[in-house]
Amino acid sequence: RWTKNSHGLEQEISCFVPVDAAVKLVRLRLTNRSGQARRISATYYAEWLLGALDSVSRPHVVSHYDAAAKAIVGRNLWNAEFASRTAFLTASLDPHSVTGDRHDFLGHEGDVFDPDGLRRWDLGEHFPQGGDACAAYQVHLHIPPGEQAEVVFVLGEVGEPTLLQQAVEKWKDVGQVDRAFEIGR
């Protein structure tokens, strides 16, 4: 758990992995102490490995946005060990914007500390089919003065694509996230 208080916002990030699931949960909780309404964009960025070596698997990773699940999905069908597995990124809030194009999000220099995608209103919603796939999922938080808002980002994997919808629905539920956190304490 990390906390910070700056720019009129109390910020808390909690990150954990449930003991019984192949997901990483990141909860961002913001409390507005500024005295004015705030609109904050929060973006989770992940680079898909989906194999043993980045240089070997990167050209074969494909991703897309599954509108029904409201999740970015990544797969590597080329690698027999990983072909049946499906990685996903979703959140407890619907996305404002998404992308699966690493170059589009990071920019020409590929700088994770200063991504070009965060300088634009929209991440572009591009999903190249191999070569430079990633997952960037952005939400907007509207926070009135004195109020709190939160989002839980979920990065996970299921053993086969038919299990995706069920896993996404389970982990988008903030109550399920709370229960997993309490069990793991």
Side-chain angles (χ1 to χ4, degrees):
R1 179 176 287 165
W2 296 268
T3 60
K4 184 174 184 174
N5 191 340
S6 67
H7 301 90
L9 290 171
E10 289 178 11
Q11 306 153 47
E12 178 183 311
I13 295 179
S14 302
C15 178
F16 65 99
V17 175
V19 295
D20 60 348
V23 295
K24 173 183 174 182
L25 304 169
V26 177
R27 173 179 287 166
L28 171 64
R29 189 174 285 154
L30 301 173
T31 305
N32 183 0
R33 302 291 184 210
S34 71
Q36 60 186 359
R38 302 292 296 271
R39 184 167 183 255
I40 305 294
S41 294
T43 306
Y44 191 105
Y45 170 76
E47 292 189 18
W48 302 125
L49 179 57
L50 306 179
L53 296 171
D54 186 46
S55 61
V56 174
S57 57
R58 181 178 297 270
H60 306 287
V61 173
V62 295
S63 69
H64 71 278
Y65 179 68
D66 184 320
K70 295 188 178 165
I72 299 172
V73 178
R75 300 197 60 204
N76 181 349
L77 300 174
W78 180 77
N79 184 319
E81 185 178 339
F82 293 92
S84 65
R85 298 179 188 176
T86 301
F88 65 92
L89 174 63
T90 191
S92 58
L93 300 176
D94 291 349
H96 161 73
S97 187
V98 295
T99 191
D101 188 332
R102 185 175 171 274
H103 182 268
D104 210 28
F105 181 72
L106 295 179
H108 182 68
E109 300 298 320
D111 188 352
V112 294
F113 297 106
D114 189 20
D116 280 354
L118 296 184
R119 291 191 181 93
R120 296 186 302 269
W121 170 253
D122 164 308
L123 297 178
E125 300 189 22
H126 298 134
F127 290 88
Q129 294 308 303
D132 215 11
C134 74
Y137 190 109
Q138 185 176 79
V139 300
H140 284 203
L141 302 168
H142 301 279
I143 317 169
E147 297 290 322
Q148 186 178 84
E150 76 173 36
V151 60
V152 177
F153 291 101
V154 183
L155 180 65
E157 178 191 63
V158 292
E160 58 184 75
T162 58
L163 301 173
L164 176 68
Q165 186 70 35
Q166 179 184 358
V168 168
E169 286 176 14
K170 176 180 181 178
W171 294 110
K172 284 178 77 107
D173 177 359
V174 175
Q176 181 65 36
V177 172
D178 291 339
R179 286 186 289 281
F181 183 72
E182 289 304 316
I183 291 170
R185 283 179 158 220

